[in-house]
Amino acid sequence: MLLEINGLVKRYKNITAVDGISFSIEEGICFGLLGQNGAGKTTTVEMLEDIITPTRGTILFKGRERDRNFREKIGIQFQHTELLSFLTVDDTLRTFGRFYKNSLPMEEVRRLCMLEAIGKQMNDRISGGQKQRLLLGLALINDPDLLFLDEPSTGLDPLARQHMWKIIRGVKAQGKSIVLTTHYMEEAQTLCDDIIIMDQGRIIAQGSPETLMAQHCKDDGEPRNLETVFLNLTGRHLRA
Ligand SMILES: Nc1ncnc2c1ncn2[C@@H]1O[C@H](COP(=O)(O)OP(=O)(O)OP(=O)(O)O)[C@@H](O)[C@H]1O
C-alpha cells in the first residue's frame, strides 16, 4: 500500500476540519478527493503532503512513518503558484531542477507536459493552460513516486483541460501514483480509479467511479454519472 491513513484528525481552535478519517491509497492509481467547499479536502491533502501536522492519527508511506526523504519522493502542484515573471519556461524548469538530488531530464519533462514549443517564452506571457502545464512540470521535476494535484484544470478552457487530462494519464502510465482534488466531477470520473467523498471532515462514500455510481445513482432516469452521485450525497441542502 502506498499510503495508509488511520484515524486522521485536524482541529483548529473551534473547528474540526478533519474528523477521524481512515483510508488507504494503492500504488500506481489516481486517487480522488471530492467534497463541497470546506469539506476538509485541502486540510487532508496538506497532512498527507506533510505540510501541516495532524492533531491525531497516523499516516504510513509504503508501510512506514514518513521520514526526511519523503519530500524527495513527492511532487506537489499548487494551484496558486506565482512564477518569476523575468524567467522563461525553460529557465524555470532548470532552476527548480537544481533544488533536488534527483531530477528528471528536462527534455522528458518538456515532452511529458507538452512544453517543447514554449520553452523560450517568458512566464508572464504564457496562457493559463500553459501555466498549469508548467506547474505540473515543476511538480514532476524530481521524478516523484507520488504526485499531488490540486484542482489541476480549474479555469482552463475545454481544449486545455483535455491536454491536462492527457498529460495526467501519461504520468500515471509511467507508474506514478496521483492524489487529486477537484470540483469537476467529469474530471474525477475520467481520471480517478478510487475516490473518497468528504463532508464536514468525514468520509461519506468511497469506491471506484463505477462502484459509486452503482451504489448512489437511482434507476429513475437521472443521469448515471459522478455528478449525480455527488449531488445525491451532498446536495441535500439545495433540495431542502
Ligand atoms: N488554518 C485554519 N484555521 C482555521 N480553520 C481552518 C484552517 N484551515 C481550514 N480551516 C477550516 O477547516 C474546514 C475545512 O477546510 P478545507 O480548506 O480543508 O476544505 P476544502 O474541502 O479544501 O474546501 P475548498 O473546496 O473550498 O478548498 C473549513 O471550515 C475551513 O474554514
Side-chain angles (χ1 to χ4, degrees):
M1 210 42 90
L2 184 74
L3 280 169
E4 290 163 80
I5 292 94
N6 220 319
L8 201 62
V9 174
K10 183 68 186 180
R11 255 187 222 114
Y12 294 105
K13 251 186 203 157
N14 42 17
I15 290 175
T16 303
V18 174
D19 195 7
I21 59 173
S22 302
F23 59 98
S24 303
I25 302 180
E26 272 176 53
E27 217 158 330
I29 69 161
C30 181
F31 188 91
L33 277 103
L34 308 181
Q36 291 174 323
N37 293 127
K41 305 178 296 295
T42 307
T43 309
T44 302
V45 168
E46 287 181 349
M47 288 191 279
L48 301 186
E49 292 166 343
D50 209 13
I51 289 177
I52 58 174
T53 312
T55 307
R56 228 180 29 235
T58 56
I59 299 171
L60 298 183
F61 178 65
K62 299 187 180 178
R64 297 174 181 203
E65 290 282 333
R66 293 165 300 170
D67 58 19
R68 237 181 299 144
N69 291 329
F70 179 68
R71 290 283 169 93
E72 288 276 334
K73 297 190 177 123
I74 64 168
I76 303 176
Q77 183 196 8
F78 296 102
Q79 210 193 123
H80 305 288
T81 304
E82 281 309 316
L83 295 167
L84 293 172
S85 59
F86 53 84
L87 290 183
T88 64
V89 167
D90 280 351
D91 288 340
T92 309
L93 287 168
R94 225 175 275 121
T95 307
F96 269 72
R98 291 200 199 103
F99 294 154
Y100 293 97
K101 271 187 264 166
N102 299 318
S103 62
L104 272 182
M106 229 178 81
E107 278 319 302
E108 196 174 336
V109 178
R110 282 155 45 109
R111 185 189 52 76
L112 203 58
C113 297
M114 303 183 195
L115 296 169
E116 289 117 321
I118 59 161
K120 302 230 167 351
Q121 287 199 40
M122 304 301 284
N123 286 337
D124 60 356
R125 290 293 158 92
I126 59 179
S127 71
Q130 291 166 339
K131 181 178 174 188
Q132 285 298 83
R133 300 210 299 275
L134 175 55
L135 292 178
L136 182 54
L138 298 179
L140 284 168
I141 206 121
N142 58 322
D143 197 15
D145 295 344
L146 170 59
L147 183 67
F148 290 94
L149 303 177
D150 181 18
E151 301 187 26
S153 73
T154 295
L156 301 191
D157 67 45
L159 183 63
R161 175 166 299 157
Q162 291 290 340
H163 281 155
M164 203 57 173
W165 291 354
K166 192 171 165 204
I167 294 170
I168 294 170
R169 285 196 197 97
V171 169
K172 205 179 97 178
Q174 289 199 332
K176 296 187 189 301
S177 312
I178 299 167
V179 172
L180 174 107
T181 56
T182 183
H183 285 292
Y184 295 114
M185 296 304 119
E186 195 195 344
E187 179 162 278
Q189 192 165 338
T190 183
L191 294 176
C192 295
D193 305 288
D194 195 9
I195 287 171
I196 57 173
I197 301 180
M198 293 184 68
D199 192 30
Q200 298 181 359
R202 303 217 171 112
I203 296 173
I204 55 168
Q206 175 165 13
S208 66
E210 268 308 318
T211 308
L212 292 172
M213 287 188 288
Q215 286 173 352
H216 301 285
C217 290
K218 301 180 203 94
D219 279 333
D220 62 356
E222 62 183 9
R224 194 176 182 282
N225 56 33
L226 215 49
E227 182 116 7
T228 302
V229 171
F230 189 79
L231 289 174
N232 282 343
L233 283 165
T234 66
R236 57 188 178 277
H237 323 292
L238 301 176
R239 288 181 313 229

